[in-house]
Amino acid sequence: MSAPFRDMRLPGAFGVTLPEPDDFEFWRDQARALVQRDVPPDRVAWIEPGGAGDLFAGGRRRLPSPGADAPPVRASRAFVQLAKTAICHSDPERFALLYRLLWRMQGSPRLLEDGADPEVRRLDEMARAVRRDIHKMRAFVRFRLVEGGDGGAGEHYVAWFEPEHHILRANAGFFVRRFANMTWSILTPRGSLHWDRAVLEEGPPAQRSDAPAGDPTEELWRRYYASIFNPARLKVGAMLKEMPRKYWKNMPEAALIPELVAGAQSRESQMVAAGTLEMGERPTSLSAIDKAIHACRMCPIGLLDNRAVMGEGPRDAALMIVGEQPGDQEDLAGRPFVGPAGQLLDRHLERAGIDRRSAYVTNAVKHFKFVQRGKRRLHQTPTAKEVDICRWWLEGERELVQPRLVLAMGASAARGMLGKTVSISKVRGAPHPLEDGSELWVTAHPSYLLRLDGPAREEQSRLFDADLAAVKERLEELT
Amino acid sequence: MGPLSTIEKLAILADAAKYDASCASSGTTRRNSTGGKGIGSTEGMGICHAYAPDGRCISLLKILLTNHCIFDCHYCINRKSSNVRRARFSPQEVVDLTLSFYRRNYIEGLFLSSGIVKSSNHTMEQMVEVARILREEHDFRGYIHLKTIPEADPELVHQAGLYADRVSINVELPTDAGLVRLAPDKDARQIAGAMGKVKSDIVETRDARKRFRHAPRFAPAGQSTQMIVGADAATDADIVSKASRLYDSFRLRRVYYSAFSPIPDASAVLPLKRPPLVREHRLYQSDWLMRFYGYQPAEVMQATEADGNLPLDIDPKLAWALKFRERFPVDVNRAGKEALLRVPGLGVRAVERILASRRHRTMRLDDVARLTVSIAKVRPFIVTADWRPVMLTDRADLRALLAPKTEQLELFAA
Ligand code: SF4
C-alpha cells in the first residue's frame, strides 16, 4: 500500500487519501498521527477514493515520527460513536469536519456537549442523516424471489436499492441477522452484498438492470397496500415526509399512490353514501322530525308507496309507548295505533288505568313495510338493520319528549330502544335503566295477541295486563 | 359465486382492519434468526416499511382473521347487521401470507384481529393457532401483535401472550355510557377484567424471569388499547382522564385513538359527520405531554376550552402556556429541566441539548435557534442573554400570532 501522506504545494501541508469512503479505522489512525504531529486542520486535505487528489500532486514525503513526549490523542466515547456514523455521509467535507472537531477536542475535551456549536451541530446533522438513510434502507429494501421456491431450498432473493450515503456495509449486519436462513443479495450503485446463509460477501457496484423485476407476491402486497389505507383520512404530506419520492421507484406498492390519492375522495363519499344519507344535524323539534321523516329514504322501506307516521301525544309526556311500525290503516290515517292492534291496546290501557292521551305513542320504524298481494298490502316485519337506521328518528323523539318511562312493545320496539335484539319473555316485567336515568319496560306487541286464540290468547292477555299494571305502578312512583 | 381467492380475502380483511390505529412494532425483546431455522428479528426500534396515502405507517401485516361477527356494535363495519362482504382466512393462510411478506422485507410481522365467529373462545383459539404455527412450526422471530377478545376464556388470552410480543384489548369508547349505547354486546367490566388479567400475567412472568432464566416470556412489548374518538359525546377531557386511568390501572404501553370515521353501511345511531382528524392529533399530542413531558392529566385538562375539548387551532402545550402566562418567560440560562420542558416549541431533545450546552456557554437567541425547529414559536416564552420578550406574553393576540395559518390547518385536516 502506498504511503498515505504526500507532499502538497503548501509547505507543511498533507493530503490523505482514504481507501474506502466509510473506513473509520483508517481515518482514525491517520487523524491520530496527524494530531500527534501537531498538524492543524487547515494543513490537511482529506481525499475520497478516486477523489480530486491531483490538487496536491507533488513529491512524496513521510511524516516525521512523533516525539516520545507526544501527548496521547483524546476523543470522547460520544465523539467516536458519532464519527463512526458520520463518516458514512456522502459529503466530501466529512473527514475534514471530523478532523477539525478532533483537533479542537484536544483543548476542550467536552466540546461535544455544546450542541449549539456550529461544527458540533453539523456533525450531529450528518450522523442523523446517515442514521435515517440506514433506517430507510432497512424499511424500503424489497426482495424479489428470483430462483427456487418461496421459503424453500434453493431460493434466492435479490433487491435493488439506492442509498444516499455509504451505508451498505454498516447495514449488512441487520440483514444478516434478520434473514439468516435465506439466500439473498442486495445490489446498489455503491456496491453489493451477497449472503448464502453462512458467509457474507461484498461485491462490486451494480446497476438497476442487474436486479430482476417482478415477483408474484407483489400483486398481493399491492392489494394489501391499497386496502389498508383509509380514504377518509387522506394526508399526503405526512406520507411524503416519511417516504420521499426518491424511494418510490423501487417499491412495488408506490406505483399505486397517485391512483389511490385521486380516488380517495370518491371512495370516501361512497363509504358514506353506502350507509347513510348526508343529513346534517338532526332536527330539534317534533314538527321538524315529522317533516324530515316524510322525506327520509335512509332505508328501503321509505321507498315503498307509503307515508311516514309520526308519534303523537303531549310534548312532555312521562310515558312513551313504542310500537313496531305503522300498519295499513295507520299509514292511510297518518296516525299511530288506529288500526285493530291500536284498538286492542286502548282497551288494555283503559283496564290498567292508563290514559292513552297522556302518553306519547310512536313506532320504532316510521314507515309501513309491506308486500303487495293483489289489492292488499301485507305487513312485513322490518329487519334489524332497518330498525337500527330508523332509530335515528326514535332517539330524536325521545330526546325531545324526555319520558320518565318507555314501554317498548315487541322485539322491534325493544331493538329500537336498545340497539340489540332481546327475547321478550326474558326481559319483560322488570325495569331496564337507561343512560339518561329513565327506565325501559318491555312487553309483547298487541298484534301478537290478535294472532292467538283460546287459552294461549288468554294467557298472553293476562301477561300483557300484568306488564301494564306494573308500568302504571312504577309510573306513579316516578312522577 | 365461487370461493374467494386469497387476494380477494386479503382485500376484504385488510380493508376491514383499516380502522385499527395501532401500528407499533417496537419495544419487545431483541431477537434475531441466527442459530434458528426460521426468519425474523426485532432490534428494539420497529421499522415502518411503507406509508399509506393517509399518512399512516405500515409496519405490520394488519388484517382480520375474519370479518364475520356475531356482535352488533354500531361503530363497527363488521357488525352483524352490516351488509359488508364477508371473508374468512384459515390460520394457515394467514401464516403463509405473513411469511411471504416478511421474506420480501415488506413487514415487521403480523397484527391480527378478528370479528367474533361462533363464539369468543372459538375465535380466540384460531388466533392463537396462527401465532403458534408461526412461532413453533416456522420458528418465526418477527413481531406478533394479537388483539385479544375480552369475552374469551382468560386461559386462551394467556396463551396468546405467550406467543405474541404485544396483546391489546380495545376499550372501544371513552365512557361506559357510550359503550352501552354503541356496543350493546360488550361489557365495560369484562373489558377491564381482561386488561387487568393481562397486566398481572405480565407482572408475574417478569418476576418469574428474575428468578428462573427460562421462565416463558409473556407479551414482552406489553399491552395497549384503542379508543374511538368522536362517535359519542365524550369530550377531550373525558378521554384524557380515561386514558390516564388506563395507564395507571393497567400499565398500558400505549393508548391509541382512532377518530371515528364514516364507515360504509353505518348505523344511524352514529353521528353523520366525522370529527376533524386534527382532534385525534391533539389527543396524541396530549398523550406525549403526559408520557414524556411530565404533565399531569389534570394539567392537560386545564388546557381544554369551556366545552371540555382541546383547541383545534393550536397544540395543547401552547394552549396550556397561554393559560398560564405567569409561568413565562423562562430563562434558558437558569431554568430547570421541568420549566424548560413547558416552553412551547422546545422538545425533549432540544431541552437536553440546551442543558448540556449551557455548561459551556451563555445561551443567546442564535444558540437556541440552532437547537430548535422554529425559534419564532419559542421566542415569546424565553429569556436569553441577548433577548427578553417585550410584554409579548401579555399580548391578547398572542394566540393568533402563534397559531398556524388556517390554510395549513385545513391541509392537515384533509
Ligand atoms: S322506515 Fe325509518 S329509516 Fe326507513 S325510510 Fe322510513 S323513516 Fe327512514
Side-chain angles (χ1 to χ4, degrees), chain B residues 92-129:
Chain B
Q92 190 61 47
E93 280 175 302
V94 175
V95 166
D96 292 344
L97 267 176
T98 307
L99 291 174
S100 62
F101 281 3
Y102 199 96
R103 277 186 208 112
R104 285 156 182 84
N105 201 42
Y106 299 161
I107 51 169
E108 292 286 284
L110 173 68
F111 173 117
L112 188 63
S113 173
S114 184
I116 298 172
V117 265
K118 285 194 200 154
S119 68
S120 303
N121 280 348
H122 171 80
T123 309
M124 198 64 232
E125 273 164 21
Q126 298 269 301
M127 294 176 77
V128 170
E129 179 63 3

Side-chain angles (χ1 to χ4, degrees), chain A residues 292-303 306 308 325 364-368 386-393, chain B residues 268:
Chain A
I293 57 174
H294 281 83
C296 179
R297 301 289 179 265
M298 286 199 296
C299 83
I301 309 180
L303 299 170
N306 54 15
Q325 63 165 336
V365 169
K366 305 302 176 200
H367 278 102
F368 175 38
E386 288 156 352
V387 173
D388 287 350
I389 294 175
C390 211
R391 197 175 166 204
W392 172 252
W393 301 121

